[in-house]
Amino acid sequence: MSDAQTGELSGKVAIVTGSASGIGQGIALGFLRAGARVIAADLNANVETRNLAARERLEGQLHEVRADVTQEDDIARIIEAAQERYGRLDIMVNNAGGSGALEPILDIDAKGFDLTFALLVRSVFLGIRHAGRFLKAQGEGGVILTTGSIAARAGGCSPSLYAAAKAAVVQLSAMSAVELAPYSIRVNTVSPGPIMIPGFASSGISAEQLIALQPWPEAGQPSDVAAAMTFLASEKCRFATGSDWVLDGGILAQGPLWLERLYGKST
Ligand SMILES: NC(=O)c1ccc[n+]([C@@H]2O[C@H](COP(=O)([O-])OP(=O)(O)OC[C@H]3O[C@@H](n4cnc5c(N)ncnc54)[C@H](O)[C@@H]3O)[C@@H](O)[C@H]2O)c1
């Protein structure tokens, strides 16, 4: 038997949004290796994700859907694809996202606000709503995971509106966990710190620069988020719901570094 047949997610069907790049690609590949069948949903074609899966002979477990997660019809279509292709759904990962409006608050207009919240919050609401309704009707429980960010908890991590949107996502997820618990549907957020994605590399940011921000001596990778989500999606984590799992190499624990900034030393 291959790993995929004996893995932690063997027999499960998962949707991963934003699967064509970065963290979502890592989650899709991690889930495939753990034995899940995956609907890979993205605005862009999953060319690289498909090629990477093929290298490990896992492409047969992968089905691609082009979709815009800000659009309700598209979210409904992704769920339908899971039912049509694999006959069920077990895990929904609301991961697709982007930076949103980059300007200071005073310079963002209402349109910029709406577009940012559509990409980062409305998309998650739609994912929870549609997957939640499907899983409830299926009657076998399920798991909904969302990619949050440590920007929800501290300043200096992102543009202001992104931070506000991610804070909304964390609480939306927690409240959904309370409402969906009676149906054995677990809802959790994973909140990464800086994770090495192609976007960083193409703008000249190195792993060493990320490491310098944090106590942990290695840069966070998409596979680290995938490992956390695989565990959270598995039966081993059956009591975890409503949580926000920080995955940041210790950045939040490190805090504002005021001793170092005032006195040039940390203790
Ligand atoms: N990389 C980090 O350091 C970091 C840290 C914390 C949180 N995050 C979060 O991780 C998630 C994934 O981002 P990433 O860092 O992997 O970036 P990425 O740009 O590498 O990947 C984002 C993916 O989402 C897709 N996407 C964007 N808008 C979409 C839409 N409307 N519909 C469908 N797909 C869409 C893109 O095509 C892309 O494939 C985001 O929610 C982001 O906020 C990233």
Side-chain angles (χ1 to χ4, degrees), residues 18 21 23 42-44 67-69 95 147-148 162 166 192-195 197:
S21 171
I23 292 174
D42 203 292
L43 211 48
N44 294 320
D68 179 347
V69 293
N95 166 77
T147 309
Y162 177 95
K166 288 296 186 182
I195 299 291
I197 55 163

Side-chain angles (χ1 to χ4, degrees), residues 25 29 38 40 51 66 152 176 230 240 260:
Q25 180 179 86
L29 291 169
V38 174
N51 288 341
R66 293 287 280 276
S176 304
T230 302
E260 205 167 298

Side-chain angles (χ1 to χ4, degrees), residues 51-206:
N51 288 341
L52 290 168
R55 253 190 243 168
E56 299 178 43
R57 301 204 177 146
L58 293 168
E59 76 277 20
Q61 292 166 228
L62 184 74
H63 179 66
E64 184 176 347
V65 178
R66 293 287 280 276
D68 179 347
V69 293
T70 66
Q71 303 303 311
E72 184 153 24
D73 288 351
D74 281 20
I75 293 283
R77 211 161 40 75
I78 300 169
I79 310 276
E80 277 163 28
Q83 167 69 10
E84 274 165 25
R85 183 82 183 189
Y86 299 125
R88 59 181 298 108
L89 176 66
D90 301 284
I91 304 159
M92 174 77 183
V93 183
N94 303 303
N95 166 77
S99 61
L102 299 171
E103 301 90 344
I105 294 288
L106 298 186
D107 296 336
I108 300 171
D109 58 16
K111 193 173 172 205
F113 175 91
D114 288 345
L115 287 172
T116 303
F117 268 63
L119 176 59
L120 294 172
V121 186
R122 181 182 146 100
S123 61
V124 175
F125 162 70
L126 293 173
I128 292 173
R129 178 171 190 268
H130 283 265
R133 286 164 77 100
F134 185 94
L135 292 171
K136 180 184 169 191
Q138 190 172 257
E140 297 173 42
V143 176
I144 301 175
L145 296 168
T146 295
T147 309
S149 168
I150 58 167
R153 298 187 183 218
C157 298
S158 74
S160 302
L161 210 51
Y162 177 95
K166 288 296 186 182
V169 157
V170 169
Q171 197 62 1
L172 177 62
S173 178
M175 294 302 96
S176 304
V178 175
E179 292 196 24
L180 299 183
Y183 313 110
S184 301
I185 300 167
R186 298 189 292 108
V187 189
N188 292 287
T189 309
V190 172
S191 284
I195 299 291
M196 202 60 204
I197 55 163
F200 280 144
S202 62
S203 49
I205 295 168
S206 66

